[in-house]
Amino acid sequence: PTPLTSYTVLHGLLASTPHAAMGSDNRQKVSPSTPFPMASSCPPRVAISKPSSSSLRVRSKAIQSDVARKAQSKHSPRRLKDECYSALLPMLAIAAVWCFGCYIYLWLSLYRSFSEDVADIDDHRGNMMFNKREDILAVKLEQFLLGTHGSESYNLEDNVANHAWNNARDLPVSYRKTNSSLLDQIRNPIIAKQIQSTLISETGYPNLILGAYLEPPLSLEEIDGESFLELRAQSPQKLTSIQYPYQHMNTTDGSIDNQKVAGACSRKGAQWTFPTLHPKSLDNYFESNVFKRHNNFDKRWELAAGIKSSDNSLRGKYCPIDADPYLPWIHDVFPSNDGSHVEFIISNKRRCNTDPKAFQSDLTNLIPQVALMQPIPVKILSATSYSQAAVSDALKKLWTPDSRNKSAEAGSEAFFLDDDAYNPPRYILATSIDDADEDAKFTRFICRFHTTIIDESSGEPGLRKIVLGETLSSYPYNPEHANYMKRGSKPMLTSSEQGHDEQIWNSVYTVRCPVPQLSNDGEASNGDVLSRIIASGESVNDFIPSLYLDMIPIRTPVRKSRDGFGLPGVKKSAGFDPKLAWGDAHILPRVEASGRWTNIPICLPPKMDEDLAVDASEHKEISEPKQISGDSHDNKNKTHFLVACVWASHSFSTRGQTSDKDDSSTSARLREFLAYHTQFAGFDHVYVYDNSDTSTSNLTLAAVTDLFPPHHVTRVPWPHRVCNNNRPTHSNPGERSSQYAAENSCRARYGPTTTWMASLDVDEYLIPTGKEWKNLREWLEDVTRNEDSTKILSFYQTRSLPNVNLMVPYDGSPTMSCAVEISEGVSDSMCLMKNPEITFMETYNCEPTTHPKPKSWAWRAKKQIYRPDFVMNHFVHYSVVTRRILDEPMEGSPRFAERSPFERRVDELNEGFLLHTKTTGPEMTSKWREKCPRKSITVGKNPCKVGIPSEEIILGEKTNSLAKGDDEGSSKAFQSNCYRHGRVMKEWVPKLEAALQLMSKPMGEQQRL
């Protein structure tokens, strides 16, 4: 290069060296007039003088020295590091962009995968339910954040399920994602037949068999003088399993005919499959009359627990409540008409025998029966709770299934595969009402719904149980709250020394199990597919169910205070603190390790069952109830205006009866009762709860009920025995449990479809009075129009007497009280009996008091017509719990009545009255000529049990307060003691006789006439 060019390059190198940039001392200092610019400036075009040769040599050496220094620094570690960083920066930027793209792609792929299964459920809070794959992802992330992914106490399987359920707690009931193929199997009749055939070959029954798992008693730990509930850490092997097969039709040689095996729903529901007391074959252990004073507690416990004795045939033949008193004493179960819930009618078995001198063991053993009527708060164990030390320690103590023992320890039938895909939630007792989940603030039972499907995954067809979901039970009203609001009430748990009490509202209660919400691909928006299947009857094929329910009681000690827990207006319950009772970490055991009822059939809704009976009948005509003008109630779902419920048996024992001879007049009485009330009184329908299966006779009331069209009469088999038939004044007072449960079953089953309902006996007639009422219905329609506040109409009653002029000498088997002598072919007895040719209505049309009946005592045996949507618990004579407990929860309630204007007495002179024709047996008429007062002789107080009719006829005609004897018939010489009703004699008796004569003719002639 030319000297000028070299010089220019040299100047550029010097300007760019680190020394020049740092302004070091060896840098040439340039004055403002110096032609060389600063390094950061562009050099101007200037004239430069040619340097000398010596100067060039000096500068050349400096350049060489500088180049050598740069070459040396180029290979230093610091320089290499800087150059590596500079080279990596672009590569790192490219990698970051690539990773971000992969991240977006990954989540987009996951979203596309999840979108096929995720169902958005828009409830009142707009929440979304996670499905299982999302749960796994969420739980694993939560494990990582909490640092618990390596903890042995952190069960991933349980936590996944709890995460899903905890995120769905805002829903009114539980929800589970399913597919349409499962729902199709539930309602497919062809698949149902295949399942039934398999079950018959394995068990002899076309449906699953009802069973019970009995759990050992609760363990209570004493801490500082307080009882603390320990965890129920038992395994399934500690439970006692019992099955309760029902009776079915056999062939003549004793073998089972598969074509004649009846389904569990073949008798108006599944109520007949429950073992509520001992069968007749065990009477030798309990004596023939259940009301006699006896104990035999140890033997009864052994039978209830299914312990094998000398007679192995007794196993599974007795109610298990004595052995596991936390099991509910179920008398009836049925789904609601809309399929939203399954309803249970449950009795309190502790009220059966309350004489502390004879039944102290029963009173102590059955204390948990009271606890079942006391709601408790529960919540789902959330995923975050697993990290708490107390919860983690509790989980370590509880039994948990694994892949090796799950099938064996679940207690399933050997030929079943378990539902391994179902992961249930874990429940924990809450320590306050506010801490509980919204739908579990007042609960007591876990309800597990399941079905059976045909599974071919193993290569060969088999049966598999599929759990459809779990819900927590509810009460239509809080029994503890109702007891608290009763004036003068005592705690629900009476002391063993006190025994019986008059708190009859604690005899029967109702529990509801909400049906789980299910969704399939086509109906994911509503989630009520299962409810619609139940409501439509598609889950029952040939009266054989495909849906079942397990009922698991949540076991806690009974609360002994009257204040209850969480009641409105009660700030703090005296003597009860849930933190002291069960603590902050009382986790409930898994269902498989809990005592429970299992395989409870879910049958047809009551309305569906009734409609099927009508459709199968020749009588198709059904008169729809007319809308009453002025009625403000919602009657759009009402198919009836007025119905009656009757509990009866072909033969029965009266209260306190000591003789072995039962009254067998029910069939004749029922025939007359049904004819009058359905044809003349204006009743749309009568539901007959037939208790004949408990009697010594094999006859039922079907022969009578079949005389009437099914749109007028429905017979419900009711095989539950009365647990105590003593009189109320006995030292061990009676408890007619079967009757109380039947009455509430009828109200709960058929109340939603009727406006008015009455609970009557077959010896009771509701008679209209007043000249303007053609029948009882016309009067009731007038009440409906003009008395919107009236919900209960009470008929006071007195027992009428049989007209002695219409009776005949007793000609039956001789007894100690009634000797029979036959003279010239004519019976001559000291006793009387009803003339079989005369109706009960005419025979007993003789009341000992005039109307209105005495207010001071006739109210005790009153009967009522009531609105079933207002009355929530009815007990024979009284509406003991009404909707006032919900509408006005702080309002006190009378013990055996409802305050005005909701309940009022019926005007007997102008509206109607009750004629009570209770049977007067022949032995009661013994020596009637000596006991009944003559005109000239005064005898003791009320010894006469037959009616001496007055010559005056009351109701419509003038009466005399002083009665006189008739001038004709057997009563001529006696003083009168009863009055006859003119309208009954002149109008209703002739009509009833004509109707009964018509019923005796063939059906074709009846229709023609």
Side-chain angles (χ1 to χ4, degrees):
T2 61
L4 181 59
T5 304
S6 300
Y7 181 77
T8 303
V9 172
L10 177 63
H11 177 269
L13 290 173
L14 290 173
S16 62
T17 59
H19 298 285
M22 296 173 62
S24 59
D25 294 340
N26 60 354
R27 177 182 174 184
Q28 182 183 4
K29 297 181 180 180
V30 184
S31 64
S33 60
T34 303
F36 302 104
M38 296 299 292
S40 60
S41 304
C42 296
R45 290 178 177 273
V46 294
I48 303 176
S49 59
K50 182 177 181 182
S52 61
S53 59
S54 60
S55 177
L56 289 174
R57 284 195 296 271
V58 172
R59 294 180 181 275
S60 176
K61 290 180 179 180
I63 291 173
Q64 293 176 1
S65 177
D66 187 62
V67 171
R69 284 196 303 273
K70 287 185 174 183
Q72 184 178 0
S73 64
K74 182 177 182 181
H75 300 284
S76 66
R78 180 177 179 181
R79 182 66 178 177
L80 290 174
K81 182 178 180 180
D82 292 342
E83 290 182 357
C84 288
Y85 281 157
S86 300
L88 285 175
L89 283 175
M91 297 177 63
L92 291 176
I94 294 173
V97 173
W98 183 83
C99 289
F100 180 77
C102 290
Y103 179 82
I104 297 298
Y105 176 79
L106 173 64
W107 282 104
L108 288 175
S109 299
L110 288 173
Y111 176 79
R112 286 193 298 269
S113 176
F114 291 153
S115 63
E116 299 177 357
D117 298 325
V118 174
D120 292 339
I121 308 173
D122 296 324
D123 65 345
H124 59 286
R125 299 186 186 178
N127 292 321
M128 176 181 289
M129 167 70 75
F130 289 120
N131 71 352
K132 186 176 179 181
R133 283 185 287 177
E134 287 180 297
D135 296 333
I136 295 174
L137 190 62
V139 170
K140 286 185 176 180
L141 178 61
E142 191 169 22
Q143 285 180 329
F144 177 78
L145 295 176
L146 294 175
T148 57
H149 53 282
S151 174
E152 294 180 358
S153 64
Y154 198 90
N155 189 304
L156 176 61
E157 177 182 347
D158 289 343
N159 217 20
V160 167
N162 283 295
H163 191 281
W165 282 72
N166 200 48
N167 281 276
R169 298 310 297 163
D170 289 330
L171 296 173
V173 292
S174 64
Y175 176 94
R176 186 183 181 189
K177 176 75 178 176
T178 186
N179 53 49
S180 57
S181 61
L182 173 59
L183 298 178
D184 288 341
Q185 287 205 41
I186 293 176
R187 51 192 172 189
N188 190 317
I190 299 177
I191 296 179
K193 288 289 187 182
Q194 296 174 351
I195 295 175
Q196 294 166 18
S197 177
T198 304
L199 286 171
I200 289 177
S201 63
E202 297 287 348
T203 67
Y205 290 83
N207 42 246
L208 301 184
I209 301 174
L210 178 73
Y213 288 87
L214 312 185
E215 183 175 329
L218 294 179
S219 297
L220 299 177
E221 181 182 1
E222 294 292 332
I223 301 178
D224 298 331
E226 298 288 340
S227 297
F228 183 79
L229 179 62
E230 295 184 352
L231 290 173
R232 295 154 54 203
Q234 70 276 349
S235 66
Q237 288 89 346
K238 297 296 183 180
L239 306 179
T240 301
S241 175
I242 306 177
Q243 286 190 329
Y244 299 95
Y246 54 83
Q247 295 182 354
H248 49 62
M249 298 178 64
N250 292 343
T251 59
T252 55
D253 60 358
S255 61
I256 297 177
D257 184 353
N258 292 345
Q259 302 299 323
K260 295 184 179 181
V261 177
C265 301
S266 60
R267 304 179 67 185
K268 297 297 178 184
Q271 76 287 344
W272 63 286
T273 64
F274 280 90
T276 51
L277 276 175
H278 66 274
K280 292 190 292 288
S281 61
L282 295 180
D283 275 348
N284 58 323
Y285 288 97
F286 301 95
E287 304 177 10
S288 59
N289 295 313
V290 298
F291 53 83
K292 288 185 178 179
R293 293 183 58 172
H294 62 272
N295 197 317
N296 295 330
F297 175 79
D298 294 336
K299 183 62 179 180
R300 286 187 284 111
W301 190 94
E302 177 183 318
L303 292 171
I307 298 176
K308 293 183 178 180
S309 61
S310 57
D311 187 357
N312 293 333
S313 64
L314 298 180
R315 180 178 173 85
K317 293 291 185 65
Y318 186 75
C319 173
I321 307 303
D322 285 331
D324 187 353
Y326 274 100
L327 291 179
W329 198 25
I330 300 173
H331 280 64
D332 197 10
V333 56
F334 52 89
S336 60
N337 289 323
D338 62 359
S340 62
H341 64 267
V342 176
E343 193 141 343
F344 291 84
I345 305 299
I346 305 173
S347 294
N348 176 8
K349 198 172 189 294
R350 191 174 186 262
R351 291 183 60 88
C352 281
N353 293 296
T354 54
D355 182 359
K357 296 180 180 179
F359 297 98
Q360 182 68 44
S361 299
D362 292 81
L363 290 170
T364 302
N365 178 58
L366 295 173
I367 286 178
Q369 287 285 286
V370 180
L372 296 181
M373 294 188 289
Q374 300 174 335
I376 54 173
V378 175
K379 61 180 178 180
I380 298 296
L381 190 62
S382 63
T384 55
S385 300
Y386 281 79
S387 61
Q388 300 175 5
V391 173
S392 178
D393 292 341
L395 286 171
K396 291 179 181 179
K397 299 177 182 179
L398 295 176
W399 174 85
T400 300
D402 56 37
S403 58
R404 296 186 305 276
N405 64 13
K406 182 174 182 180
S407 178
E409 295 189 353
S412 300
E413 289 85 349
F415 54 91
F416 269 101
L417 297 174
D418 288 327
D419 187 2
D420 295 321
Y422 180 68
N423 294 302
R426 296 304 297 265
Y427 305 94
I428 184 172
L429 297 181
T431 55
S432 68
I433 300 298
D434 296 334
D435 187 42
D437 292 334
E438 188 63 32
D439 61 344
K441 296 182 182 297
F442 299 95
T443 187
R444 180 52 78 171
F445 301 93
I446 301 170
C447 311
R448 172 176 283 192
F449 292 76
H450 60 90
T451 187
T452 303
I453 66 170
I454 296 178
D455 182 78
E456 299 180 350
S457 59
S458 60
E460 295 184 3
L463 297 181
R464 177 183 292 273
K465 283 187 178 179
I466 297 295
V467 178
L468 301 173
E470 291 179 5
T471 60
L472 293 171
S473 69
S474 63
Y475 297 90
Y477 67 89
N478 184 344
E480 201 169 31
H481 182 202
N483 181 76
Y484 179 80
M485 299 310 298
K486 286 290 183 181
R487 295 174 184 171
S489 64
K490 304 170 185 177
M492 298 184 76
L493 178 66
T494 57
S495 64
S496 299
E497 293 76 16
Q498 178 184 356
H500 186 77
D501 61 48
E502 293 185 350
Q503 299 182 162
I504 54 179
W505 46 87
N506 293 331
S507 291
V508 184
Y509 60 101
T510 305
V511 169
R512 292 173 176 172
C513 283
V515 173
Q517 288 189 342
L518 293 184
S519 170
N520 59 24
D521 297 335
E523 298 167 295
S525 59
N526 346 42
D528 61 349
V529 182
L530 189 58
S531 295
R532 296 202 303 272
I533 290 176
I534 294 175
S536 66
E538 294 178 292
S539 60
V540 179
N541 184 268
D542 291 338
F543 301 106
I544 300 172
S546 60
L547 296 175
Y548 303 87
L549 171 65
D550 295 348
M551 195 178 196
I552 305 95
I554 301 174
R555 302 170 185 239
T556 61
V558 68
R559 290 190 283 268
K560 300 179 181 179
S561 66
R562 175 176 171 267
D563 299 337
F565 179 59
L567 303 184
V570 181
K571 295 182 179 180
K572 187 176 181 181
S573 174
F576 178 76
D577 185 347
K579 290 187 177 181
L580 297 178
W582 52 67
D584 295 321
H586 190 92
I587 303 173
L588 302 181
R590 297 287 292 265
V591 168
E592 294 83 356
S594 303
R596 63 197 184 274
W597 284 108
T598 186
N599 297 337
I600 300 173
I602 301 178
C603 298
L604 293 172
K607 187 178 184 305
M608 173 67 64
D609 206 351
E610 186 178 344
D611 291 344
L612 288 177
V614 173
D615 291 341
S617 171
E618 298 178 359
H619 303 269
K620 301 293 184 181
E621 69 281 0
I622 301 179
S623 57
E624 293 293 333
K626 61 182 180 181
Q627 181 66 33
I628 308 301
S629 60
D631 185 8
S632 61
H633 294 76
D634 182 12
N635 295 320
K636 63 180 180 179
N637 294 322
K638 309 295 186 184
T639 57
H640 301 307
F641 177 71
L642 174 61
V643 304
C645 301
V646 175
W647 174 78
S649 175
H650 180 271
S651 60
F652 63 93
S653 301
T654 59
R655 283 184 179 271
Q657 178 178 322
T658 57
S659 66
D660 295 332
K661 185 175 178 59
D662 291 341
D663 189 331
S664 58
S665 65
T666 304
S667 294
R669 280 189 171 277
L670 181 62
R671 180 168 170 263
E672 187 174 314
F673 175 92
L674 295 175
Y676 170 76
H677 285 93
T678 60
Q679 298 185 37
F680 306 119
F683 280 76
D684 296 308
H685 206 97
V686 177
Y687 300 96
V688 179
Y689 277 65
D690 189 353
N691 197 224
S692 300
D693 286 345
T694 64
S695 65
T696 56
S697 171
N698 293 325
L699 300 176
T700 70
L701 297 175
V704 179
T705 57
D706 290 347
L707 296 174
F708 298 85
H711 64 270
H712 279 325
V713 176
T714 295
R715 173 180 168 269
V716 180
W718 193 254
H720 310 303
R721 305 183 78 175
V722 171
C723 69
N724 185 341
N725 205 30
N726 280 338
R727 295 184 182 276
T729 56
H730 194 277
S731 61
N732 185 36
E735 180 77 3
R736 307 188 79 174
S737 53
S738 177
Q739 180 181 6
Y740 310 153
E743 186 176 3
N744 279 277
S745 167
C746 189
R747 175 194 53 78
R749 278 193 184 207
Y750 306 109
T753 57
T754 188
T755 305
W756 294 94
M757 174 175 279
S759 294
L760 301 172
D761 294 330
V762 295
D763 58 4
E764 296 170 340
Y765 299 85
L766 296 182
I767 309 292
T769 57
K771 297 181 179 180
E772 63 270 31
W773 309 126
K774 295 180 180 179
N775 55 41
L776 200 73
R777 184 191 185 98
E778 282 194 0
W779 159 71
L780 194 57
E781 290 176 350
D782 183 75
V783 173
T784 306
R785 276 190 297 267
N786 301 312
E787 301 180 30
D788 185 61
S789 298
T790 301
K791 313 294 183 183
I792 305 167
L793 296 159
S794 295
F795 293 82
Y796 287 17
Q797 69 161 296
T798 55
R799 178 175 176 175
S800 60
L801 299 173
N803 188 335
V804 70
N805 296 322
L806 303 179
M807 302 184 76
V808 295
Y810 174 68
D811 62 357
S813 301
T815 65
M816 184 177 297
S817 301
C818 299
V820 179
E821 297 180 3
I822 306 297
S823 176
E824 297 181 359
V826 179
S827 173
D828 184 14
S829 172
M830 301 176 64
C831 300
L832 300 177
M833 57 179 283
K834 173 189 168 294
N835 187 339
E837 302 298 326
I838 300 177
T839 63
F840 288 93
M841 177 183 284
E842 183 179 6
T843 301
Y844 287 88
N845 180 28
C846 205
E847 290 204 282
T849 60
T850 59
H851 292 179
K853 298 182 179 182
K855 183 179 180 181
S856 59
W857 54 271
W859 67 271
R860 298 177 183 175
K862 62 185 177 182
K863 287 300 180 76
Q864 298 176 327
I865 295 178
Y866 60 89
R867 283 189 178 267
D869 55 3
F870 178 76
V871 175
M872 307 187 75
N873 189 339
H874 197 270
F875 185 91
V876 187
H877 307 292
Y878 318 108
S879 298
V880 291
V881 181
T882 70
R883 284 198 61 86
R884 299 295 292 175
I885 196 71
L886 304 180
D887 300 337
E888 297 292 339
M890 303 292 292
E891 182 180 80
S893 172
R895 292 170 65 84
F896 305 112
E898 185 56 83
R899 60 175 48 85
S900 176
F902 305 105
E903 178 180 343
R904 75 167 177 85
R905 179 180 179 178
V906 176
D907 183 351
E908 289 142 347
L909 295 176
N910 300 302
E911 293 181 325
F913 73 96
L914 187 146
L915 179 63
H916 188 194
T917 66
K918 186 176 179 66
T919 297
T920 298
E923 67 281 356
M924 299 175 67
T925 68
S926 176
K927 299 181 180 180
W928 70 273
R929 292 185 179 91
E930 301 176 11
K931 297 178 180 179
C932 293
R934 297 176 180 267
K935 294 177 180 179
S936 58
I937 301 176
T938 302
V939 295
K941 184 180 179 181
N942 297 327
C944 183
K945 299 300 182 182
V946 296
I948 312 297
S950 168
E951 61 185 10
E952 299 292 339
I953 298 175
I954 63 173
L955 296 183
E957 299 183 13
K958 185 177 180 179
T959 62
N960 293 329
S961 58
L962 181 60
K964 296 181 180 179
D966 285 341
D967 293 331
E968 298 178 359
S970 302
S971 62
K972 180 177 179 179
F974 297 88
Q975 294 182 16
S976 62
N977 60 359
C978 61
Y979 303 88
R980 292 167 292 173
H981 304 284
R983 192 171 180 185
V984 173
M985 295 174 57
K986 298 176 182 179
E987 181 177 356
W988 301 121
V989 168
K991 288 184 177 180
L992 180 58
E993 290 176 344
L996 295 175
Q997 291 178 4
L998 180 63
M999 291 176 58
S1000 62
K1001 299 181 182 298
M1003 183 62 67
E1005 188 174 352
Q1006 288 185 40
Q1007 295 176 348
R1008 180 179 60 82
L1009 294 175

